[in-house]
Amino acid sequence: MSVVDRVYANALFEAALERGRIATVREQLQQVVEAEAQVPELRELLRNPQLDPRARAAAIGDVLGDADELLRNFLLVLADKGRTGQLEEIARELERLVAEHEGIVHAELTTAVELSDEEAQALLRRIEEASGRKVEATRSVDPGLIGGIVLQVGSHRLDASVRGRLERLRRQLVTA
C-alpha cells in the first residue's frame, strides 16, 4: 500500500467521521469495489489510464448518482487526479482506519484441525478479554501445525503449535 493510498483513505475517513457518515461511506465504497471486481466495463472505466479524466468523472457521476454525496465527490476527486485505479487499496486502508477507530483488532487464526464455530468463538472471546478489544478473525487450517494454534495480529505472531514448539526445541538443542 502506498503513502498516497493512505493519504486518500485518511482524508475520506476524516471527512466521513466529521459528518457522521462513516457507516454509509464505508458500505457504499465496498459496493463500488465489489462492482468493479464483477463488472469488466466499470473496471476498465476506473483503471484505464488512457481514458480522459473528464469522461471518467462524467461516467462516475452518472453511475453513482444516488450514492452518498461525500463518496461521490471523493470518487470524482480520485478521477480528476487519475487515482481511481487505486480504489481497492484505498478501500482496504479505509477499513483498517474504521476498525482502529472502533477498537477492532483483525487477526488470522490458524489451527491444525478445523474448529467448530463455537470453539472458534470461545477462543476469540478469550483473546478479546485478554486484549480488551473486539477481535475479528479469519480462520484457516494447516495440518502441518500438528496441534495447537498460530495467531497473527498485525506484526505480532503467537505460535502455540506443536510444530512451533518442536522447532524451538530443535534450535535450543543445536545451540546448546
Side-chain angles (χ1 to χ4, degrees):
M1 171 148 335
S2 74
V3 172
V4 173
D5 299 338
R6 286 190 177 103
V7 168
Y8 280 107
N10 195 52
L12 180 59
F13 173 76
E14 292 293 332
L17 181 64
E18 184 178 295
R19 290 168 182 79
R21 299 200 313 246
I22 287 179
T24 302
V25 168
R26 177 186 189 190
E27 179 183 335
Q28 289 183 2
L29 180 58
Q30 194 57 44
Q31 290 171 352
V32 171
V33 169
E34 289 170 7
E36 178 190 9
Q38 296 172 0
V39 181
E41 295 83 4
L42 181 58
R43 185 170 187 81
E44 178 71 14
L45 171 73
L46 294 175
R47 295 190 179 259
N48 185 346
Q50 296 175 345
L51 191 61
D52 178 46
R54 289 183 299 270
R56 179 179 294 134
I60 288 172
D62 291 343
V63 169
L64 299 175
D66 61 345
D68 184 271
E69 180 185 11
L70 179 61
L71 179 63
R72 190 174 56 249
N73 289 341
F74 176 75
L75 291 173
L76 290 172
V77 167
L78 288 182
D80 185 53
K81 301 294 184 185
R83 300 283 185 187
T84 52
Q86 297 167 271
L87 192 58
E88 189 175 340
E89 293 82 6
I90 293 168
R92 225 182 348 261
E93 179 64 10
L94 179 69
E95 285 295 319
R96 189 194 67 73
L97 290 168
V98 170
E100 182 179 294
H101 175 73
E102 294 175 349
I104 297 172
V105 174
H106 291 282
E108 295 175 31
L109 175 63
T110 307
T111 55
V113 296
E114 183 71 35
L115 297 178
S116 70
D117 287 340
E118 294 80 25
E119 292 169 324
Q121 290 305 320
L123 182 58
L124 292 176
R125 273 193 301 276
R126 289 179 60 196
I127 296 167
E128 287 174 352
E129 289 169 7
S131 69
R133 297 175 76 187
K134 180 169 175 26
V135 177
E136 291 181 353
T138 56
R139 297 178 358 199
S140 62
V141 175
D142 179 0
L145 294 179
I146 305 169
I149 68 166
V150 175
L151 181 66
Q152 180 86 32
V153 179
S155 62
H156 301 289
R157 181 179 175 95
L158 169 68
D159 187 345
S161 69
V162 173
R163 179 179 65 195
R165 290 179 193 157
L166 289 172
E167 180 59 28
R168 287 187 295 277
L169 179 60
R170 184 193 66 75
R171 276 185 268 152
Q172 285 177 343
L173 291 171
V174 169
T175 58

